[in-house]
Amino acid sequence: MDKPSPRQIKLLKIIVDSYIKSATPISSIEIIEKRLLDVSSATIRNDMVVLENNGLIAKTHSSSGRIPTSEGYKYYKKNILKPNINNELKLRLEKVFNSREASIDTILDQSVEILNESLQLPLILSSVENSETLKRFDLIQINEHEALIIIITNNGNIIKNTMSFNTDKQLDDIAICIRVFNDRLVDTPINDLKSNIASIKEIIRTSVHDYESFIRKIIEKLFSDSQVVYRREVRGTKYLTTQPEFQDVKKLNKILSFLENTNVWKHIAYNQEKSGKTTITFGEKFGANDLAIASTSIEINNEKKYISVVGPTRMDYSKVQGVLDFIKEESKKYAK
């Protein structure tokens, strides 16, 4: 993709912002009539062609207007997005966090209620049980090229991962990993998993045949999938029906199933642990092309919680990220 010019980036911002607000494709004529860019109509049309050729916008079948593509939203998130929160919303949330006598659960309940009302989108409130620990790792060979790794926790939760291998040496490497896991990770709390994995990587590296290209990927996949979110609550599903994208009953049911997909929230929690920042993940990663998830984590009194806003790819990213960033910062003040 050719790098867009500053004017083309401004045009892309206009198209994304317009589509976020109206859910209606915008045409070059509208941009000209509303004087959104102080350039000629020919220049706007040419720039639209460039953005379209770069896969950042697409022409709809039902009109002459353009809408952002998934790549357009990704570019917007990475290069254009500026988090923002309005004063009224900020004051309401500050009031909640200033209630020092309130528990973290009360603060989150009130914050989520405000977010639901303001964003008109469903939220996922999730957490990892502090008491959950890893108890045992098992390896079962399924066939000539696949093995099943089973992780069992102290609460009886079972996590299964299928791993592929091409040679007997690779299977041996997996078996060595499992032995190290059982020696070093048993009784490790879920919350301490990240630091403990880091401490055993060098042990595994010196014990296996093919660490860099094979075992390292297995470890990353295994523990990415195993960051188990044990408590999860969906708030505000009624707001899905207010979004034009989800008016179709079949599509709505698909979204509701997505909200209940445990693997999605395991992945989101794992990403939060890695980044420590508010993140935006596009649903295509999970087979839900029309969705985006904005997530952040907060920690108060040694309790870590995850807040995720789920909406169409047309969601107001500036507002959503702005409010999640604000909640994250307020939680740090509360913890002091």
Side-chain angles (χ1 to χ4, degrees), residues 51-256:
L51 292 175
E52 193 170 350
N53 288 340
N54 280 336
L56 300 176
I57 63 173
K59 189 173 183 179
T60 63
H61 297 295
S62 56
S63 73
S64 60
R66 266 73 164 189
I67 63 172
T69 63
S70 60
E71 291 304 313
Y73 283 119
K74 290 175 186 175
Y75 188 92
Y76 178 91
K77 181 196 81 168
K78 184 177 180 181
N79 301 285
I80 302 173
L81 172 63
K82 292 182 179 179
N84 182 49
I85 179 171
N86 65 54
N87 285 330
E88 180 185 353
L89 185 53
K90 184 187 293 186
L91 289 172
R92 292 180 68 188
L93 290 169
E94 281 179 342
K95 185 177 179 181
V96 171
F97 277 91
N98 286 336
S99 302
R100 290 286 174 171
E101 69 281 0
S103 68
I104 182 175
D105 289 327
T106 300
I107 288 171
L108 285 180
D109 283 343
Q110 294 175 357
S111 298
V112 167
E113 186 176 339
I114 292 170
L115 292 188
N116 274 149
E117 178 189 329
S118 174
L119 301 175
Q120 298 283 292
L121 292 171
L123 282 85
I124 305 290
L125 193 58
S126 53
S127 62
V128 175
E129 291 279 358
N130 288 335
S131 60
E132 195 83 8
T133 59
L134 301 173
K135 295 306 292 183
R136 193 174 79 249
F137 296 80
D138 289 329
L139 176 66
I140 300 173
Q141 185 173 350
I142 302 172
N143 54 47
E144 289 183 1
H145 297 292
E146 287 184 308
L148 184 67
I149 296 178
I150 301 173
I151 304 173
I152 301 172
T153 74
N154 66 316
N155 287 343
N157 287 301
I158 298 174
I159 306 147
K160 299 178 181 179
N161 288 272
T162 302
M163 301 296 174
S164 299
F165 57 90
N166 295 320
T167 66
D168 289 341
K169 280 188 177 181
Q170 289 183 337
L171 179 59
D172 289 342
D173 282 350
I174 298 174
I176 291 169
C177 273
I178 298 303
R179 287 199 293 272
V180 174
F181 294 159
N182 277 317
D183 288 341
R184 302 281 179 158
L185 295 182
V186 166
D187 294 328
T188 299
I190 293 289
N191 284 353
D192 296 336
L193 192 55
K194 184 178 179 181
S195 59
N196 278 266
I197 293 168
S199 70
I200 67 170
K201 282 185 177 178
E202 196 56 38
I203 296 171
I204 295 173
R205 185 195 303 271
T206 58
S207 303
V208 301
H209 302 93
D210 186 6
Y211 178 84
E212 290 301 333
S213 63
F214 182 64
I215 290 299
R216 180 176 56 82
K217 293 177 183 177
I218 285 180
I219 293 175
E220 289 172 356
K221 178 182 186 302
L222 183 64
F223 291 106
S224 169
D225 290 346
S226 301
Q227 179 69 346
V228 186
V229 176
Y230 293 101
R231 295 178 58 197
R232 184 182 73 254
E233 187 178 357
V234 183
R235 304 274 191 91
T237 52
K238 65 181 180 181
Y239 293 113
L240 284 173
T241 58
T242 67
Q243 304 298 325
E245 291 88 343
F246 307 140
Q247 296 296 320
D248 179 81
V249 174
K250 288 184 178 179
K251 187 173 286 189
L252 180 61
N253 286 334
K254 185 177 180 181
I255 301 308
L256 291 173

